[in-house]
Amino acid sequence: MQRQALVIGNWKMNGSQPLVASMAAALAAQPELLKQVTVVVCPPAVLLTSWCQATSALAVAAGVQDINEHADGAHTGEHSLQLVAEAGAEYVLVGHSERRQWYADSAARVAAKVQQVMAYTEQPVKLVLCVGESAEQRAQQQTMTVIEAQLSSALAALTSAQLSRLVIAYEPVWAIGTGLTAEPAQAQQVHAFIRNWLTNKWGVSGAAVQILYGGSVKADNATALFAEVDIDGGLIGGASLQVEEFLAICAAAQARSR
Ligand code: 13P
């Protein structure tokens, strides 16, 4: 089954107005690439409007790195799904390991955030559910158990009609920002496990869900990772802050689409 290649840049707590302008200008020069690869950038929420304005004429999407699990209310400093969607976000990352580790995103909160995204039907915002094991869990051979637990708790209430709005990102915690990338075959093994899990639960529509790899993806390792059968693209941290590097990663995904 042909799944569209997808590359998402996660700027985390980085970026600037000049980076918005230079990244948008570089992408504007690549119309062919944008036909073959879905490119999304998740800047910090305060740069979302600027990103949307800078890319309004381009086939490039905007996303955010998190949302609150409530629809509205007294939650100082937080953003609801509706607020970010109205500001132009078409993709929402949920369950990133940095949020699970440092910002109290428990399995229950992640599941509630998933429900917020899926309950919002004004616009078809896509959910990018991040899963991944720590170094200790891998050393103890718990990788698949951890991934399965993260998938089942986050997606327990998902219906098959909502699957077209789901993307999974496999991000081994030990590979994030460390320069240690999973070997392509090692990543493929987990991607195949996720694909099987989705297929067992939802059949062919489960199999059609895009599964991204994230964790120290760079221009020089992207081609080998994206050549794996179940790796449909990447979720890119550090390298998405460097225009040339990010474009080279998008081009590596373009090779997958041909
Ligand atoms: P790095 O690409 O910097 O390792 O970050 C990956 C990531 O966490 C993307 O969400």
Side-chain angles (χ1 to χ4, degrees):
M1 178 178 299
Q2 185 70 20
R3 292 175 299 268
Q4 169 84 3
L6 171 62
V7 176
I8 304 181
N10 174 9
W11 286 4
K12 307 191 179 183
M13 204 170 68
N14 301 296
S16 60
Q17 298 288 0
L19 183 62
V20 165
S22 57
M23 187 67 81
L27 287 166
Q30 301 288 339
E32 279 311 306
L33 186 154
L34 299 181
K35 276 187 206 150
Q36 291 174 43
V37 180
T38 304
V39 177
V40 183
V41 168
C42 300
V46 289
L47 293 177
L48 177 63
T49 303
S50 303
W51 177 257
C52 291
Q53 283 166 354
T55 57
S56 61
L58 307 180
V60 172
V64 288
Q65 302 165 16
D66 188 36
I67 49 150
N68 188 268
E69 68 271 35
H70 300 285
D72 53 25
H75 301 286
T76 302
E78 294 287 284
H79 301 101
S80 69
L81 192 273
Q82 183 176 349
L83 286 170
V84 299
E86 286 178 359
E90 296 162 86
Y91 286 77
V92 176
L93 309 185
V94 168
H96 192 283
S97 64
E98 287 154 13
R99 299 215 56 92
R100 291 183 195 255
Q101 269 182 296
W102 299 317
Y103 298 99
D105 264 10
S106 62
R109 279 190 88 190
V110 169
K113 291 178 181 192
V114 170
Q115 281 317 297
Q116 280 299 317
V117 179
M118 293 303 169
Y120 187 76
T121 50
E122 311 291 311
Q123 290 159 234
V125 177
K126 289 209 179 191
L127 166 80
V128 183
L129 175 68
C130 304
V131 298
E133 82 288 1
S134 66
E136 298 73 41
Q137 290 163 334
R138 177 162 281 270
Q140 289 164 13
Q141 284 159 13
Q142 291 170 350
T143 300
M144 304 310 183
T145 319
V146 168
I147 302 291
E148 177 157 33
Q150 289 173 337
L151 291 172
S152 2
S153 62
L155 303 178
L158 201 81
T159 66
S160 58
Q162 295 167 334
L163 278 174
S164 59
R165 293 173 60 182
L166 176 67
V167 175
I168 306 285
Y170 168 55
E171 297 208 304
V173 179
W174 48 271
I176 295 178
T178 58
L180 291 173
T181 316
E183 290 299 320
Q186 203 178 25
Q188 164 58 25
Q189 207 181 21
V190 181
H191 280 236
F193 176 84
I194 296 171
R195 178 99 48 222
N196 277 336
W197 188 90
L198 294 165
T199 309
N200 285 339
K201 202 162 159 70
W202 288 294
V204 283
S205 6
V209 170
Q210 290 155 310
I211 309 177
L212 309 182
Y213 170 78
S216 299
V217 178
K218 310 282 179 223
D220 64 6
N221 59 26
T223 304
L225 284 160
F226 299 163
E228 294 291 341
V229 63
D230 288 304
I231 302 184
D232 302 315
L235 179 53
I236 320 300
S240 71
L241 299 166
Q242 297 165 27
V243 173
E244 290 309 319
E245 187 82 5
F246 187 60
L247 257 72
I249 294 170
C250 295
Q254 184 179 18
R256 182 179 175 83
S257 297
R258 285 201 191 102

